[in-house]
Amino acid sequence: MNAARYFLRYYSPSQLHKIYTDKIRFQATVGMDRIVPRKFETNLDGNIELVSRKVLSGKYKFTRYRQVLISKGRGKEPRVISIPTIRDKLALSAYHRFLQSTFADVIDESLLHTVVGNITQAVLLGNYCGFVKIDITKFYSSINHELLLKKVRRKVRKKEAIKFLMDAITTDTIDSTGSAPDFKKNIRGVPEGLSISNILANIYLSDFKNKVCDNYDVSFYRYVDDILILCNPSEAESIKLFCIQTLKLDFDLEVNETKTISGETENGVPFLGYIFFRNRISIRPSAEEKIEKSIEELFRLRKKMKISEQLFIWKLNLRIAGCILDSKKYGWMFYYSQMTDLKILFHLDWLVEHFFRRYGFEKPKGLKKFVRVYHEITKNVSSSKYLINADKYSNEEKLKILSNIYGQSNFNREDQNLIAILFNATMFKEVQRLEYDIQNFS
């Protein structure tokens, strides 16, 4: 099927309805129009018909994205996340599927666990004793629109599809407070946080691997804009210089030379929050510090009586164990489940015990443990009754969580569909918090 047919397919009302139900209904955040899912669904068929008709005719108009700032730590510029309206998110999600199908033979969308597993095996085999880690400066905001469109046009010629993409990446992101600034178009970069952001990043960098591998004998790994090259130590500096020059000349990207490093694998290879050694897989100290701070934050909130005891324990268990929701795995432990340096997990279990003593709380029964969670994830994830699997909860269990833990009572308790909707919406908000604990790992 060619790109034009994929475009028609994914913007058909039936496909848009499926995308909304599967991907947006419970995960939608409020955009600049302040419309929530329940209001959007009062005219769902009409909204879907409008998206289909406007996109396919090339007349779709975006609402400016709502700005959300995420701290990257003291002294660092925050990440700017762009939040689209629900209608725009639906249109963008369909475009993501369109790009996935069109560029299936070009892009590599390997799961993070697959990338980590491949690196682990390569380091253990010891075929390469050197490495180069590339850090691109402000990658998303630096993407050159002309170069990106040139790569997209290799497979997409339909003018309505190109126009939609241009409108999506040039729509500006504004603060939702105060008076709205004058309209302006982004002339560079891809807004971060859109459903198409990562796949556009993959398309933009898709041919970088070949440029490196055609010139050097290396093992190349990329996860979006995080790049690791295993190589012979004698060539590491040459490869680093080649990457810096190639990214500048061919991709119009600057490399952060203070964070772009080379070295020998025996000293550890830092990548994606992990550190790969010949005899073990550990994690970066900053990754451990982040989960420690996240856990202590809960103890402080409870000490100040800002959350109930039930909600405190529930959130603490989520921090420790993560959760499975909508068949996806979320949380710090799922992300770092490929570590083998288990002394970190024993320390975290000790730290939780320490916080209970320090803050004067009685440790409850049923509290999760990092070490046990690790063994369940690595040995028994599909049938575990210890892990938090929200997909397996009955409606009665969901109702108890909503009422007893979150204090939600102003709804019809006999409406099974409504209970499921409220529960999923509540859990996806918790997932956003869990995802924050593993951000900025590069």
Side-chain angles (χ1 to χ4, degrees), residues 398-426:
K398 293 176 182 179
L399 179 59
K400 286 181 179 179
I401 291 170
L402 287 171
S403 57
N404 297 344
I405 294 176
Y406 289 97
Q408 297 185 30
S409 57
N410 190 24
F411 61 90
N412 182 0
R413 297 187 173 214
E414 302 301 320
D415 189 333
Q416 302 296 300
N417 185 52
L418 179 59
I419 291 171
I421 291 172
L422 291 175
F423 177 78
N424 279 4
T426 300

Side-chain angles (χ1 to χ4, degrees), residues 27-188:
Q27 303 181 50
T29 48
V30 176
M32 288 300 297
D33 62 0
R34 296 294 174 186
I35 292 178
V36 297
R38 199 175 301 179
K39 184 176 180 181
F40 187 81
E41 289 173 20
T42 59
N43 186 27
L44 183 59
D45 290 341
N47 283 319
I48 285 175
E49 188 278 329
L50 183 145
V51 170
S52 175
R53 174 167 47 83
K54 291 287 188 179
V55 173
L56 293 176
S57 65
K59 297 178 181 179
Y60 189 85
K61 300 293 183 183
F62 284 88
T63 301
R64 292 196 282 186
Y65 306 129
R66 179 170 66 88
Q67 174 183 277
V68 172
L69 301 178
I70 296 180
S71 173
K72 296 175 69 175
R74 185 178 299 176
K76 298 180 181 179
E77 289 187 25
R79 287 176 66 201
V80 178
I81 302 298
S82 301
I83 307 296
T85 64
I86 293 176
R87 189 186 70 181
D88 289 347
K89 186 171 185 177
L90 175 59
L92 289 164
S93 294
Y95 202 83
H96 175 262
R97 294 194 178 189
F98 159 69
L99 290 175
Q100 268 187 320
S101 297
T102 303
F103 288 88
D105 61 335
V106 174
I107 58 174
D108 180 7
E109 288 193 293
S110 296
L111 296 174
L112 182 133
H113 280 186
T114 302
V115 176
V116 171
N118 291 340
I119 295 171
T120 300
Q121 291 302 312
V123 173
L124 289 174
L125 286 172
N127 292 335
Y128 298 99
C129 298
F131 75 90
V132 176
K133 179 178 177 294
I134 305 297
D135 186 282
I136 300 173
T137 301
K138 298 181 179 178
F139 172 65
Y140 285 95
S141 60
S142 299
I143 290 175
N144 182 304
H145 288 179
E146 184 178 346
L147 290 178
L148 175 62
L149 287 176
K150 183 178 179 181
K151 294 171 187 285
V152 172
R153 283 194 174 106
R154 292 172 185 170
K155 287 182 171 289
V156 180
R157 295 179 178 84
K158 192 170 180 61
K159 64 180 182 178
E160 292 85 359
I162 295 295
K163 181 180 183 301
F164 180 92
L165 175 59
M166 276 303 299
D167 289 345
I169 63 177
T170 57
T171 295
D172 61 339
T173 301
I174 62 173
D175 194 337
S176 59
T177 60
S179 57
D182 294 336
F183 281 90
K184 67 173 184 177
K185 285 192 173 184
N186 292 328
I187 59 173
R188 189 180 183 91

